[in-house]
Amino acid sequence: MGWLLARLYLRTAVLRKRSVIIGLFVALEVLLAFNAAGHTTFGNLLRELVTGFMLPVVALVFGSAVIRDDLEGGTLGYFLARPIPHHTLLLSRTGMAALVAMAMGLFMTLGNAVALGASGSELAAATAAIALGAFAYTCVFVALGILFRRTFLAGFMLLFADWALGRMPMGGRFASVRAHVENLAGIEPPFRAVAEMLAPPPSAVTSVLALMALSGGLMAFATWRFRRFEFSGAEG
Amino acid sequence: MTAVITTERLSRWYGQVIALNDVSVTIEQGIVGLLGPNGAGKSTFLRLVVGLMRPTSGALRVLGAVPADEIAWRRRFGYCPEHDNFYEDMTGLEFVETFARLSGFAAGDARRAAAKTLDRVRLAESDYAKKQIRQYSKGMRQKVKIAQALVHEPELVVLDEPLTGADPVSRHEINELLKELGRAGHTVVVSSHVLHEVERVTQRFILIDKGRLLAEGTVGEIRALIDKHPHRIELSTPDPRGLAARLVAEPTVVSVNITESGLTLETREADGCYAAIGRLAGESGIPVLRMVSPDNNLDAVFRYLTRG
């Protein structure tokens, strides 16, 4: 049943207009990388365009669609009136949303690596970081979709907060998802202040654990909330 | 007969707004019409019945279970929501098949069951197998919604305004389907704000307004509850004055008015009055060409119950 729900999500979410638009932006990012060859490095472009903007936006589009699109479209009632455990519905669709976000993130990573001549080790680290980052961001936006009606607005506010946190000195930036993704990818922060040197970044294992804990905690919370969820008709 | 749905002082609030207020009702096997104007609380009641919402207070049991707490139990009912929401790019067959699979059917069985159910709701194969739902008329869309509720052969079928927007032919077909479900032993709860439509498929009703239960039972039973309200009878006769003169002397008659086509009388005891009319017409030799009671239909009962 979980696979059926995941495939149904894939069919309905990916074919939506905004998913097609985000797909075009992903392709555009790769084209920009080819255009920027010789003017920037793989790490810089990955930080400025992928981890800093495109990856969270892709996750916002697909993560928020997990529950919110069916809730606003009024089709959620069909699922909730079936013998489907709420956690199966939520987790299977979240899994597929994360896979789609990962696929788009990895497409950009690979495109940038080819365009900018990244080494094998750089590509491997970036691949792992982007995959885990896509998963973490998707979980964030799935939870947001359950908590807030205006998921997109709340999502963009959260992205701004994540961006602002990601620029804090003295290790404060590691309160953001972005900083852990960049840490895993081995990307230098945008500034190297003295304060930053005094507080070195956490190990890769710490960043993995932080992202896993965040994702797991948010999904546990989202599942708990969704179990108590009530459907009173289309909200769109 | 065993109770399929029982509620006891069931209430549901949306913040400060009460949608359902202290409703205690028992629904038994067969077809039951849930009637009330828009905003009466019908959809809230049905969402509580199928477990999409939880009561704020009171008790609710459906097929022996507490709806919002049971998952496997949901195989036993089918729910057709009021809102017209679909995956528009699917065909009717794909849509119904998807929800058959989510009700536990294997892939091949789900497709066969979906096709069979779509045939049963009288949707043409050329439409349900090839056309996307976005191309369907309102009546066809209603039938797809009903089909997804029936595809797994549930014991209880809950239909929220299934006739809304359907053309006359589709309405007739849906009504016939509802009767067929009732004959087959299903319990069908069908809501509507168009009273005469539901009157065609059942004589058992629950009337609600502003979240409150107004009455339940057959039209006759509900009418009996309000017998202290004068009941009108319209008579066509070639000698209205002659018949009126005799009727005013009857103790069961409250008032008599002569009209262009005959006369209208009011009574508080309908059965006794009908008997008196027959007796007086026979004794006087004044023929009664037509006798109707405009109050003896659901619209009139509902108007009376919701007045003031």
Side-chain angles (χ1 to χ4, degrees), chain A residues 4-232:
Chain A
L4 178 66
L5 289 165
R7 273 192 314 165
L8 189 60
Y9 166 81
L10 186 66
R11 174 178 175 162
T12 53
V14 171
L15 291 179
R16 279 171 200 247
K17 202 183 289 175
R18 64 170 174 255
S19 304
V20 174
I21 291 170
I22 202 76
L24 290 173
F25 272 100
V26 165
L28 184 65
E29 194 282 333
V30 175
L31 285 177
L32 280 175
F34 278 97
N35 198 43
H39 302 289
T40 188
T41 63
F42 173 65
N44 278 344
L45 199 66
L46 205 64
R47 183 185 64 231
E48 295 305 325
L49 283 183
V50 181
T51 61
F53 182 65
M54 287 301 295
L55 183 68
V57 170
V58 166
L60 171 61
V61 168
F62 292 104
S64 62
V66 164
I67 292 301
R68 189 51 57 178
D69 277 11
D70 279 282
L71 182 59
E72 288 174 358
T75 41
L76 191 63
Y78 293 115
F79 293 94
L80 298 182
R82 301 276 156 186
I84 306 167
H86 285 197
H87 66 268
T88 305
L89 177 62
L90 182 70
L91 297 179
S92 56
R93 290 165 70 97
T94 301
M96 185 54 81
L99 280 177
V100 174
M102 276 181 205
M104 288 197 169
L106 294 179
F107 176 76
M108 288 186 283
T109 308
L110 192 63
N112 288 7
V114 171
L116 301 170
S119 69
S121 60
E122 279 180 313
L123 178 60
T127 299
I130 294 294
L132 194 54
F135 181 68
Y137 275 122
T138 303
C139 293
V140 168
F141 296 120
V142 169
L144 221 57
I146 288 175
L147 280 178
F148 295 102
R149 279 186 172 218
R150 295 178 180 274
T151 310
F152 253 67
L153 184 64
F156 275 112
M157 286 169 69
L158 196 135
L159 285 184
F160 178 75
D162 195 61
W163 174 84
L165 282 171
R167 301 186 79 83
M168 283 175 68
M170 293 288 285
R173 67 196 183 92
F174 285 98
S176 72
V177 175
R178 178 185 178 176
H180 285 289
V181 175
E182 290 173 357
N183 188 41
L184 273 176
I187 299 171
E188 290 285 317
F191 50 87
R192 293 284 289 168
V194 175
E196 188 69 19
M197 290 178 217
L198 290 173
S203 67
V205 173
T206 306
S207 282
V208 168
L209 289 176
L211 291 176
M212 295 295 284
L214 176 74
S215 308
L218 283 171
M219 285 318 295
F221 172 70
T223 306
W224 172 76
R225 282 283 296 176
F226 193 52
R227 198 173 290 164
R228 306 276 315 161
F229 205 79
E230 294 190 327
F231 181 73
S232 55

Side-chain angles (χ1 to χ4, degrees), chain B residues 85-272:
Chain B
N85 306 116
F86 293 96
Y87 293 121
E88 301 281 345
D89 63 315
M90 286 186 175
T91 64
L93 183 63
E94 285 174 320
F95 190 80
V96 177
E97 182 190 353
T98 297
F99 288 101
R101 290 205 62 192
L102 292 174
S103 295
F105 282 76
D109 295 341
R111 198 165 189 83
R112 276 189 293 277
K116 189 178 150 195
T117 312
L118 286 160
D119 288 333
R120 190 179 182 189
V121 299
R122 297 163 179 92
L123 205 59
E125 190 180 347
S126 55
D127 289 326
Y128 72 64
K130 293 185 181 131
K131 287 186 188 166
Q132 291 182 325
I133 294 175
R134 70 175 84 251
Q135 298 170 278
Y136 289 8
S137 69
K138 180 75 180 172
M140 290 160 72
R141 294 165 77 88
Q142 292 289 45
K143 288 178 179 179
V144 172
K145 271 200 301 188
I146 295 170
Q148 65 78 32
L150 299 179
V151 68
H152 53 296
E153 287 287 333
E155 292 163 59
L156 168 65
V157 183
V158 177
L159 307 170
D160 197 354
E161 302 267 6
L163 298 166
T164 303
D167 56 87
V169 175
S170 295
R171 281 170 194 232
H172 174 73
E173 288 173 342
I174 293 169
N175 280 338
E176 289 304 308
L177 175 70
L178 297 182
K179 287 183 201 168
E180 190 184 307
L181 289 168
R183 283 194 296 270
H186 295 269
T187 298
V188 182
V189 183
V190 54
S191 79
S192 180
H193 62 280
V194 185
L195 312 184
H196 64 270
E197 284 182 340
V198 184
E199 219 173 353
R200 288 178 192 158
V201 293
T202 183
Q203 285 297 303
R204 290 165 59 201
F205 303 98
I206 295 169
L207 272 59
I208 60 172
D209 187 38
K210 294 175 185 155
R212 282 191 169 277
L213 177 72
L214 294 179
E216 62 171 316
T218 63
V219 179
E221 285 167 352
I222 293 169
R223 191 69 191 77
L225 289 175
I226 54 171
D227 253 357
K228 60 184 177 190
H229 171 65
H231 181 107
R232 283 179 302 156
I233 300 171
E234 290 175 359
L235 302 174
S236 291
T237 173
D239 184 7
R241 288 183 184 281
L243 191 57
R246 287 168 172 81
L247 282 168
V248 289
E250 280 295 317
T252 56
V253 174
V254 174
S255 69
V256 180
N257 288 306
I258 310 248
T259 62
E260 277 181 21
S261 57
L263 54 92
T264 300
L265 59 91
E266 286 189 325
T267 176
R268 291 190 197 279
E269 197 190 318
D271 291 342

